[in-house]
């Protein structure tokens, strides 16, 4: 699967330009085996030979021609690298019955998905490694594959891991109240089956890392395109047997993550193992073609949902059944059963009913592993709930907005726990819906829709209420056995010149999180924003933390920054009081100056305070303790997660002759708690909306029935372009989180969750005159025309 030298050279840029100069000096390339003049080992480049088959037995591997190819330093198989690494096991200990076989770095006896790495070729350049990879000869015995979630339990289909006996990875059921009675007594029952196809994160830059093992002191430095350097520091230490204090992970700007760069990849551990074996720095970057097969996938579910409704329009019960194809193994640490679990625990969350039954089954198939991706399983819950709510409203003869308003939990009912187990407390469904209705001028939009239908123009309005889990606390990952930190920390110090330097455990993939951290510190200490410098992404110097995932930057990292800022402020004022022989109560910090609280006049500058604190302690009382460097960490110890919420609206036009969909407008009213930087929050919502639109209308990993990916290029895999997107209007309701002082919740996934629901509902609303529905994503022109051509009431199962 080698690519051209030109593509190789461009892919080498993927790590970014923010690598420390000391690391670049060590890893810089030159001629021959060593860097010119300084005799440091020259960095090597790794390329993989991957399985071309979704399921095949490996008969033999011949590497002799590749070993003799120009520039090749090593050709490594599973026999070389697998013994160096503890196998990866993706089992959540707190989920009884969850099972997964161990996963090795490289396939040896069998390959179980198309794209699984089998051989690693290491050479002086990427182009030479790719050329030599084409000279590796593997004899394959192709085997039958299982590819669809509804086929995985069929006893006539192959079992991905025969030692397990079948393809069931996990089975979980929720049963609250008496759903049988509720459905039997319901005036109306609406039901649909929903097909969510596989898709990719499609980050701007692909995955990549440079692993540099130093045989002299046994240390490992990894420059890694990853969202959590601390997670990977622990992984490299635990699985490769290196003392943790000798492992350093640097995560510079990485060009987007979206959860995909949070997952644990065996092939990335193999790069570090190759560096250990060869004693030289080794670099690997996935090119765009590899990313289609090797990046963790998302979705691939079939869900069936039912909703019972009274004659008055009250939801009385829901049932949900989910089948999810999680790939060939359990995802280590970031368990791929999470999509199904979120689907069934979040369904119906905004609405007031008590009878609920749900079941999720995670199934092994001969495809790449499903991993974390923006929203995880929450979009499933939003789509299923909101499509059924719209259908129920029509069955009752009620306006969809009024149906939702009627069925929201009463404002005075919080805190409460939903049938799926979500604790609702600081949510604002009514407020968000009321604001949205005014924002879109809902009544006029409905009038326009009806008038245009008389002219043969079919437009749809979709309203979607959503709940977003954010900022998971220790109760979420702790019982699972996963070594994942849910805390984050902040080191903060006053420099001798009077400015502040912060090192945070939060990382930033483009969200602007570090800007928000700097704002919190500036405000909490009392200095100008320009006087705060923020560093991140180095596991060896920052406080231990989780990094970037689950919309936690401000909610957790911001809370830690607030605590550090307040500590440093108090210490500065104590020192200033000692220097000026003034009571602390008479001093404050404003604009980088210590001022008198009564007069507002400057008393002493922070630079002068720091000068004494660092260089003239001899002028202070002998027992005075100068502390101008502080550290503060925060974890939401008692919280499973925080819950943000919102409502989105979508307005679309469906061309019933061609099947094309035109997006006319998208609106979002979001409640993410206290907003630190409105511009950053708005753009997070807009970015998520763009991905949500892509999921519903464009994106799909198309597999043949035999398990071969059919559209593994950007020519064939569609993503939304700028011209495909409508104007996106974002407004907010602020309901601060009461469990923290900052009050922030999180917003990173809200845009995608709500957009998928709103667009899905709006397209079906446009099709109401045809008495048909579409529930197979993405909504391609072919699927739209197929839905229109079906007889009234028929359902698209997507299978």
């Amino acid at each position: 699967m080698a690519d051209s030298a030109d593509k190789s050279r461009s892919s080498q840029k993927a790590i970014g330009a923010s690598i420390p100069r000391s690391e670049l000096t060590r890893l810089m390339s030159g001629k021959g085996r060593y860097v010119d003049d300084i005799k440091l080992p020259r960095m090597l480049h790794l390329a993989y030979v991957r399985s071309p088959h979704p399921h095949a037995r490996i008969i033999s591997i011949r590497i002799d021609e590749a070993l003799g190819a120009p520039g090749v330093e090593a050709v490594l198989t599973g026999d070389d690298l697998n013994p160096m690494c503890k196998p990866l096991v993706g089992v959540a200990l707190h989920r009884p019955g969850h099972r997964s076989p161990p996963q090795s770095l490289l396939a040896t006896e069998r390959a179980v998905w198309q794209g699984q790495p089998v051989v690693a070729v290491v050479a002086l350049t990427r182009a030479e490694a790719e050329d030599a990879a084409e000279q590796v000869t593997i004899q394959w015995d192709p085997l039958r594959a299982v590819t669809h979630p509804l086929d995985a339990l069929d006893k006539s289909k192959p079992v991905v891991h025969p030692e397990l006996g079948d393809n069931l990875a996990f089975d979980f059921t929720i049963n609250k109240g008496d759903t049988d009675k509720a459905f039997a007594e319901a005036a109306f029952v609406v039901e649909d089956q929903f097909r969510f196809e596989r898709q990719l994160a499609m980050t701007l830059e692909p995955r990549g890392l440079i692993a540099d093992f130093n045989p002299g002191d046994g240390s490992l430095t990894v420059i890694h395109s990853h969202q959590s350097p601390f997670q990977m520091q622990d992984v490299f230490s635990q699985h490769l047997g290196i003392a943790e204090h000798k492992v350093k992970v640097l995560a510079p700007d990485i060009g987007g993550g979206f959860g995909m760069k949070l997952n644990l990849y065996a092939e990335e551990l193999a790069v570090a193992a190759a560096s250990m074996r060869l004693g030289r720095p080794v670099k690997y970057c996935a090119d765009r073609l590899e990313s289609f097969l090797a990046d963790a996938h998302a979705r691939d579910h079939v869900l069936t949902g039912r909703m019972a409704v009274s004659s008055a329009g009250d939801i009385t019960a829901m049932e949900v059944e989910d089948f999810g194809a999680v790939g060939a193994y359990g995802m280590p640490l970031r368990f791929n059963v999470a999509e199904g679990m979120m689907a069934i625990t979040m369904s119906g969350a905004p609405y007031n009913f008590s009878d609920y039954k749900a079941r999720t089954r995670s199934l092994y198939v001969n495809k790449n592993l499903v991993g974390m991706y923006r929203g995880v399983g929450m979009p499933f819950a939003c789509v299923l709930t909101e499509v059924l709510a719209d259908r129920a409203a029509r069955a009752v003869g009620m306006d969809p907005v009024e149906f939702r308003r009627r069925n929201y939990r009463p404002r005075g009912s919080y805190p409460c726990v939903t049938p799926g187990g979500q604790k609702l407390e600081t949510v604002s469904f009514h407020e968000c819906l009321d604001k949205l209705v005014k924002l879109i001028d809902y009544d006029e939009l409905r009038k326009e829709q009806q008038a245009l239908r008389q002219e043969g123009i079919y437009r749809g309005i979709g309203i979607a209420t959503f709940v977003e889990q954010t900022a998971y606390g220790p109760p979420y990952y702790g019982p699972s056995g996963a070594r994942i930190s849910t805390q984050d920390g902040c080191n903060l110090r006053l420099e001798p010149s009077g400015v502040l330097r912060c090192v945070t455990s939060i990382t930033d993939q483009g969200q602007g999180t570090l800007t928000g951290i700097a704002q919190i510190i500036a405000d909490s200490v009392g200095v100008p924003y320009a006087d705060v410098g923020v560093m991140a992404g180095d596991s060896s110097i920052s406080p231990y933390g989780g990094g970037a995932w689950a919309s936690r930057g401000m909610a957790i990292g911001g809370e830690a920054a607030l605590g550090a800022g307040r500590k440093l402020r108090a210490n500065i004022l104590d020192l200033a009081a000692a220097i000026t022989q003034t009571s602390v109560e008479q001093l404050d910090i404003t604009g980088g100056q210590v001022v008198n609280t009564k007069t507002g006049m400057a008393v002493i500058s922070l630079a002068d305070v720091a000068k004494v604190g660092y260089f003239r302690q001899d002028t202070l009382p002998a027992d005075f303790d100068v502390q101008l460097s502080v550290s503060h960490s925060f974890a939401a110890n008692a919280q499973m997660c925080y819950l943000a919420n919102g409502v989105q609206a979508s307005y679309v036009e469906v061309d019933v002759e061609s099947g094309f969909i035109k997006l006319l407008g998208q609106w979002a009213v979001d409640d993410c708690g206290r907003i630190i930087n409105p511009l950053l929050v708005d753009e997070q919502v807009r970015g998520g909306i763009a991905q949500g639109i892509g999921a519903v209308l464009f994106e799909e990993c198309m597999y043949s029935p035999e398990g071969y990916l059919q559209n593994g290029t950007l020519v064939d895999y569609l993503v939304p372009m700028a011209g495909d997107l409508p104007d996106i209007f974002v407004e907010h309701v602020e309901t601060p989180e009461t469990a923290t002082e900052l009050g922030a919740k999180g917003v990173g996934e809200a845009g995608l969750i709500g957009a998928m629901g709103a667009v899905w509902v709006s397209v079906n609303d446009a099709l109401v005159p045809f008495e048909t529905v579409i529930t197979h994503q993405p909504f391609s022109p072919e699927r739209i025309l197929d839905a229109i051509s079906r007889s009234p009431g028929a359902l698209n199962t997507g299978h």
Side-chain angles (χ1 to χ4, degrees):
M1 297 184 65
D3 204 348
S4 68
D6 287 340
K7 288 185 179 179
S8 170
R9 283 191 289 272
S10 66
S11 69
Q12 292 177 29
K13 301 176 183 177
I15 288 293
S18 55
I19 301 169
R21 182 175 295 275
S22 60
E23 300 301 330
L24 284 174
T25 300
R26 176 167 172 75
L27 303 175
M28 61 186 284
S29 61
K31 295 180 181 179
R33 184 179 178 88
Y34 297 98
V35 175
D36 290 346
D37 301 327
I38 54 178
K39 297 300 180 184
L40 291 176
R42 182 182 174 190
M43 183 172 68
L44 303 174
H45 296 260
L46 185 149
Y48 282 111
V49 180
R50 301 179 181 276
S51 170
H53 302 290
H55 194 194
R57 186 177 294 107
I58 300 172
I59 304 301
S60 64
I61 302 174
R62 291 188 56 187
I63 63 173
D64 48 338
E65 290 188 24
L67 277 171
V72 171
E73 294 287 310
V75 179
L76 306 171
T77 67
D79 291 340
D80 301 312
L81 296 183
N82 290 351
M84 299 177 64
C85 181
K86 181 181 176 181
L88 309 176
V89 180
V91 171
L93 299 182
H94 67 321
R95 300 297 183 196
H98 185 202
R99 56 187 189 156
S100 174
Q103 180 187 359
S104 299
L105 302 185
L106 302 178
T108 52
E109 298 178 359
R110 278 189 312 137
V112 289
W113 81 84
Q114 183 190 13
Q116 185 175 7
V118 182
V119 178
V121 179
V122 188
L124 295 176
T125 69
R126 171 67 181 263
E128 288 172 327
E130 290 181 336
D131 289 343
E134 293 183 343
Q135 298 182 48
V136 173
T137 302
I138 302 177
Q139 184 180 355
W140 298 96
D141 177 20
L143 304 171
R144 292 171 60 232
V146 58
T147 62
H148 196 283
L150 295 184
D151 290 338
L153 292 179
D154 187 334
K155 295 186 182 299
S156 68
K157 299 294 182 180
V159 176
V160 178
H161 302 289
E163 64 271 29
L164 297 183
D166 58 37
N167 290 315
L168 183 64
F170 180 62
D171 189 344
F172 186 84
T173 299
I174 298 172
N175 200 341
K176 301 288 185 180
D178 190 344
T179 55
D180 291 341
K181 182 175 183 291
F183 276 96
E185 295 177 352
F188 304 96
V189 174
V190 292
E191 180 176 0
D192 263 320
Q193 188 178 79
F194 302 83
R195 177 66 169 117
F196 296 86
E197 295 286 358
R198 281 194 168 224
Q199 65 178 96
L200 293 157
M202 299 304 297
T203 55
L204 182 64
E205 293 181 353
R207 290 181 297 110
L209 71 160
I210 300 171
D212 180 18
F213 181 75
N214 187 338
D217 62 6
S219 66
L220 175 69
T221 299
V222 182
I223 303 170
H224 203 174
S225 182
H226 201 275
Q227 294 172 229
S228 179
F230 312 93
Q231 170 187 306
M232 295 313 299
Q233 173 183 286
D234 185 75
V235 166
F236 288 125
S237 171
Q238 293 287 321
H239 285 270
L240 296 175
I242 306 172
E244 191 164 7
H245 70 286
K246 294 190 174 184
V247 179
K248 176 168 67 173
V249 179
L250 304 171
D253 295 342
I254 66 171
F258 310 127
M260 183 273 288
K261 292 180 182 174
L262 186 63
N263 297 301
L264 175 54
Y265 296 87
E267 62 189 45
E268 294 182 352
L269 273 167
V271 176
S275 178
M276 294 175 65
R277 184 178 177 92
L278 300 174
R280 296 171 66 181
V282 177
K283 177 179 180 179
Y284 167 73
C285 283
D287 63 30
R288 188 60 69 186
L289 297 179
E290 277 185 296
S291 293
F292 278 94
L293 292 170
D295 288 358
H297 289 183
R299 320 306 188 212
D300 205 357
H301 285 248
V302 176
L303 289 99
T304 301
R306 301 174 70 208
M307 182 178 285
V309 185
S310 72
S311 59
D314 297 318
I315 299 172
T316 59
M318 283 186 67
E319 290 184 349
V320 179
E321 184 171 31
D322 168 59
F323 293 88
V326 298
Y329 289 96
M331 176 62 74
L333 296 182
R334 306 290 179 168
F335 310 113
N336 45 20
V337 300
E339 285 192 342
M341 286 298 295
M342 287 188 189
I344 66 170
T345 58
M346 299 292 287
S347 286
Y351 299 115
N352 187 24
F353 66 96
S354 57
D355 296 327
Y356 183 58
K357 182 187 295 183
R359 184 183 187 185
T360 179
R361 278 173 278 188
S362 297
L363 303 154
Y364 291 125
V365 295
N366 292 112
K367 293 180 182 176
N368 190 11
L369 279 63
V370 163
M372 295 293 105
Y373 174 59
R374 199 174 197 171
V376 195
M378 290 180 279
F380 303 155
C382 179
V383 167
L384 181 145
T385 302
E386 295 305 297
V387 170
L388 293 182
D390 242 46
R391 291 194 64 199
R394 285 196 294 273
V396 175
M398 186 180 295
D399 179 83
V401 166
E402 291 309 312
F403 181 85
R404 287 168 170 80
R405 186 177 282 122
R406 178 184 181 88
N407 281 284
Y408 288 158
R409 295 174 185 274
R411 287 184 173 93
S413 66
Y414 306 117
C416 65
V417 178
T418 72
Q422 305 305 302
K423 183 180 179 181
L424 302 179
E425 186 167 4
T426 57
V427 291
S428 54
F429 302 123
H430 290 88
E431 293 83 354
C432 288
L433 183 63
D434 291 345
K435 194 166 189 175
L436 183 79
V437 167
K438 292 179 181 178
L439 181 65
I440 69 175
D441 199 357
Y442 178 75
D443 291 337
E444 289 302 313
L445 212 56
R446 282 292 182 196
K447 291 177 183 178
E448 178 181 274
Q449 178 193 39
Q450 293 303 319
L452 289 172
R453 281 181 180 175
Q454 303 305 312
E455 301 175 18
I457 298 173
Y458 297 94
R459 292 185 174 181
I461 303 168
I463 306 293
T465 308
F466 66 88
V467 178
E468 178 194 5
Q469 293 181 342
T470 74
Y472 296 107
Y476 185 82
Y477 272 116
S480 74
R483 295 169 61 89
I484 291 175
S485 174
T486 55
Q487 74 172 29
D488 273 292
C490 176
N491 289 343
L492 183 62
R493 78 169 182 253
L494 177 67
E495 298 285 21
S497 61
V499 298
L500 305 181
R501 188 188 301 273
C502 161
V503 182
T504 176
S505 60
I506 287 291
T507 57
D508 194 331
Q509 288 77 53
Q511 310 96 317
T513 308
L514 302 187
T515 299
I517 295 290
Q519 288 180 267
I520 292 169
I521 290 171
D523 184 72
S524 60
V525 177
V527 303
Y529 169 80
D531 286 357
V532 181
V534 180
M535 299 173 59
D538 186 337
S539 70
S540 66
I541 63 172
S542 80
Y544 205 91
W549 48 276
S551 305
R552 62 200 311 277
M554 290 297 99
I556 305 298
E559 192 74 16
L562 179 65
R566 289 179 172 177
K567 282 183 180 179
L568 183 60
R569 177 189 180 88
N571 291 354
I572 291 172
L573 289 175
D574 284 343
L575 179 55
I579 295 170
T580 62
Q581 299 183 18
T582 307
S583 169
V584 172
E585 290 74 20
Q586 295 179 341
L587 300 178
D588 195 6
I589 303 175
T590 302
Q593 298 283 329
V594 178
V595 300
N596 185 286
T597 56
K598 293 182 179 179
T599 67
M601 299 294 291
V603 175
I604 187 173
S605 70
L606 292 193
D608 287 336
V609 173
K611 178 181 177 181
V612 173
Y614 287 121
F615 309 127
R616 292 304 310 272
Q617 297 95 331
D618 60 293
T619 64
L620 298 171
D623 61 348
F624 190 87
D625 184 20
V626 177
Q627 294 291 337
L628 297 181
S629 297
V630 300
S631 184
H632 188 81
S633 293
F634 175 77
N637 289 327
Q639 301 289 122
M640 179 69 74
C641 62
Y642 303 141
L643 289 177
N645 69 275
V647 184
Q648 285 195 32
S650 183
Y651 192 36
V652 304
E653 182 176 311
V654 177
D655 186 328
V656 298
E657 299 297 327
S658 68
F660 282 95
I661 298 167
K662 182 178 181 180
L663 293 149
L664 303 175
Q666 190 80 19
W667 298 264
V669 176
D670 187 85
D671 187 347
C672 61
R674 179 162 289 123
I675 296 173
I676 306 303
N677 187 310
L679 180 61
L680 292 177
V681 170
D682 285 357
E683 297 315 307
Q684 275 290 292
V685 174
R686 287 192 176 97
I689 286 173
Q691 286 184 301
I693 289 171
V696 178
L697 301 185
F698 298 102
E699 298 186 52
E700 174 185 5
C701 293
M702 301 174 67
Y703 278 86
S704 71
E706 296 78 24
Y708 292 91
L709 184 64
Q710 305 292 291
N711 62 333
T713 74
L714 280 173
V715 174
D716 303 302
Y717 183 96
L718 301 182
V719 295
M721 309 289 282
D724 297 317
L725 300 176
D727 289 336
I728 301 171
F729 303 92
V730 182
E731 295 288 344
H732 300 279
V733 171
E734 286 192 62
T735 309
E737 172 57 52
T738 57
T740 65
E741 293 188 60
L742 189 63
K745 297 176 185 175
V747 73
E749 295 162 294
L752 184 149
I753 298 166
M756 284 189 68
V759 174
W760 203 300
V761 170
S762 67
V763 173
N764 278 283
D765 186 57
L767 298 178
V768 166
F770 300 91
E771 300 182 63
T772 189
V773 295
I774 179 168
T775 56
H776 187 168
Q777 160 278 333
F779 295 170
S780 64
E782 293 83 0
R783 288 178 181 147
I784 291 290
L785 294 176
D786 181 60
I788 293 172
S789 69
R790 291 196 304 267
S791 60
L795 296 179
N796 176 13
T797 65
H799 181 49

